[in-house]
Amino acid sequence: MNKSISTDSINQWVEERTHLVSDIQAITDATVPAHVARNPMYLLGSVTLVAFVLQAMTGIMMMFYYDPSTAGAYDSVDFITYQLPLGWLVRGVHHWGASAVVVLTVLHMFRTYIFGAYKKPREVNWLSGVVLLLICLGFGFTGYLLPWDQRGYWATRVGTEIAGSVPVIGGYLSQLMRGGPIQGQFTLTRFFATHVLILPLSITLFTAVHLSQLKKHGISGPLDPAAKPEVRARVPLFPNFLLQVAVLAAGIAGLLVYLSAIKGAPLEFPADPTNTNYVPRPEWYFLFFFQLLRYFPGALESIATVLIPLFIFGCMIALPFVDRSAERRPWKKPVTTAAGIFYVGAIVILTALSFT
Ligand code: HEM
């Protein structure tokens, strides 16, 4: 054989078949606006994406050992946590990672809200984001039941009862969630299928929509329409932006490992449907909702379960169509800024009150 194989010929072979070389070149040549690389708040969307990938990876690892049956779920999670080599780490990162995803998604959403990034032409970017937020909460709700321990069992029981109290369609809703009149194997199967199939497929689809919108419109420009040319300049995506994403993502991953080692992922006693003394407690990011329910007892319950959530999500969907001015500086649009701070403040206060 007299023909030597050079790097160039390998590159050419790969390029002709896959376009991989030019795709990598496009990333290394890409640029971002200077104001994006300067403000860490613009890192949040990308870091949320990395956190989701970590959730998918740890989730897939646990799927090799998890048994989605009421007879075996608890023991399989117990095995992952206490016997499988590094199982505690995989489950711990998945557990704490779920909270990280919620925090990052909400912070990212708050950034786009406060900076008016939902405005024309980014309405679809915002709307797909609202769906992503719902999917994110859906992951938290369905994942909670999977260990089939007391904590998940009773919190889900409360959750399906709340759904059951919705006027007119409540009965169908709770039946749909439970797969029958009681919480048992069909419930676990439905939550499992939703958690590992329906939600991952949905999140992939809506993330694709979200990012394709980003590609189409680019990231929103500087807040100040009279920004200086150096703010409007473009800087290389790598290292100026991607390196910051990598450092922040590595820091968060380190925190998740630390929390897994120090606190681990909780696993209580196996689910006992006869133990009605157990005080149900949801994941911390649903606590504000539990607290809200306390203020609307009996016949008023549907105000908290239906009217308030519908109002909030209705506002989120209507937002880009109602707030149509070109102004994006938070201090120049005091009504939307004050509304955002009010909602966040209310959620923080309700969460804090739920501990009292
Ligand atoms: C799964 C969760 C999400 C992921 C992975 C994600 C990812 C991203 C990424 C990578 C960007 C570009 C970088 C940045 O602006 O930080 C972005 C932009 C954007 N996202 Fe998200 N996002 C998510 C959830 C949301 C939510 C919940 C909303 C709002 C309801 C939202 C609204 C937007 C908007 C409006 C932009 C355009 C920002 C601009 O042009 O300044 N996203 N998203």
Side-chain angles (χ1 to χ4, degrees):
M1 210 157 29
N2 53 7
K3 223 178 173 187
S4 67
I5 300 176
S6 68
T7 320
D8 281 351
S9 60
I10 296 175
N11 279 353
Q12 194 185 347
W13 190 94
V14 173
E15 176 62 10
E16 277 169 9
R17 280 147 192 89
T18 65
H19 280 200
L20 191 65
V21 179
S22 47
D23 287 347
I24 293 174
Q25 186 83 38
I27 295 175
T28 51
D29 289 349
T31 57
V32 283
H35 73 281
V36 170
R38 275 194 203 147
N39 186 339
M41 280 196 274
Y42 284 93
L43 301 174
L44 293 165
S46 309
V47 177
T48 308
L49 200 58
V50 177
F52 257 116
V53 172
L54 198 59
Q55 287 303 96
M57 282 161 54
T58 47
I60 291 170
M61 286 180 202
M62 286 196 288
M63 286 263 287
F64 285 106
Y65 298 93
Y66 178 71
D67 173 358
S69 73
T70 53
Y74 183 87
D75 286 343
S76 66
V77 175
D78 187 87
F79 174 78
I80 292 170
T81 315
Y82 300 112
Q83 292 179 54
L84 188 69
L86 293 183
W88 61 271
L89 180 62
V90 174
R91 182 162 175 251
V93 168
H94 197 76
H95 170 81
W96 293 103
S99 292
V101 164
V102 173
V103 172
L104 289 167
T105 307
V106 170
L107 287 177
H108 165 60
M109 183 180 124
F110 194 66
R111 195 284 288 167
T112 61
Y113 176 86
I114 288 292
F115 286 10
Y118 51 81
K119 295 191 175 195
K120 188 183 168 191
R122 296 182 180 77
E123 295 94 331
V124 177
N125 213 331
W126 171 261
L127 294 177
S128 56
V130 174
V131 179
L132 286 172
L133 178 69
L134 286 176
I135 295 175
C136 185
L137 297 177
F139 268 116
F141 182 63
T142 51
Y144 212 56
L145 179 69
L146 301 187
W148 204 250
D149 64 349
Q150 285 285 71
R151 183 173 160 269
Y153 180 89
W154 287 100
T156 306
R157 187 116 165 211
V158 174
T160 54
E161 272 162 18
I162 291 172
S165 71
V166 171
V168 189
I169 56 163
Y172 297 105
L173 267 184
S174 66
Q175 180 86 7
L176 182 73
M177 287 161 93
R178 288 182 183 153
I182 55 153
Q183 185 165 305
Q185 180 59 60
F186 287 130
T187 323
L188 184 58
T189 307
R190 283 178 183 213
F191 274 56
F192 177 66
T194 308
H195 194 79
V196 306
L197 204 67
I198 298 174
L199 292 177
L201 286 177
S202 314
I203 203 157
T204 308
L205 179 71
F206 281 95
T207 304
V209 173
H210 203 65
L211 297 184
S212 72
Q213 283 294 305
L214 191 71
K215 194 162 177 241
K216 186 163 170 49
H217 302 296
I219 202 141
S220 51
L223 292 180
D224 185 355
K228 296 197 181 95
E230 61 263 32
V231 179
R232 298 197 166 273
R234 295 188 74 87
V235 294
L237 177 72
F238 185 85
N240 298 47
F241 183 74
L242 285 188
L243 196 61
Q244 294 186 56
V245 172
V247 169
L248 184 57
I252 291 172
L255 181 66
L256 299 181
V257 171
Y258 173 76
L259 288 169
S260 309
I262 298 296
K263 295 185 82 80
L267 183 64
E268 294 194 355
F269 288 117
D272 177 3
T274 61
N275 180 354
T276 47
N277 293 327
Y278 187 86
V279 182
R281 210 162 170 77
E283 198 58 285
W284 65 267
Y285 40 85
F286 289 121
L287 281 175
F288 76 96
F289 185 59
F290 263 45
Q291 184 64 22
L292 189 68
L293 286 173
R294 288 194 192 159
Y295 303 124
F296 297 95
L300 297 177
E301 200 182 22
S302 50
I303 296 180
T305 55
V306 183
L307 287 184
I308 294 178
L310 275 184
F311 176 74
I312 292 174
F313 278 101
C315 286
M316 288 173 81
I317 289 168
L319 179 67
F321 308 103
V322 174
D323 181 11
R324 292 167 64 181
S325 74
E327 182 57 73
R328 290 182 34 241
R329 285 167 291 185
W331 56 94
K332 296 266 182 182
K333 48 181 186 78
V335 176
T336 32
T337 304
I341 293 172
F342 169 78
Y343 279 126
V344 173
I347 288 175
V348 171
I349 291 170
L350 285 171
T351 306
L353 285 173
S354 74
F355 288 100
T356 56

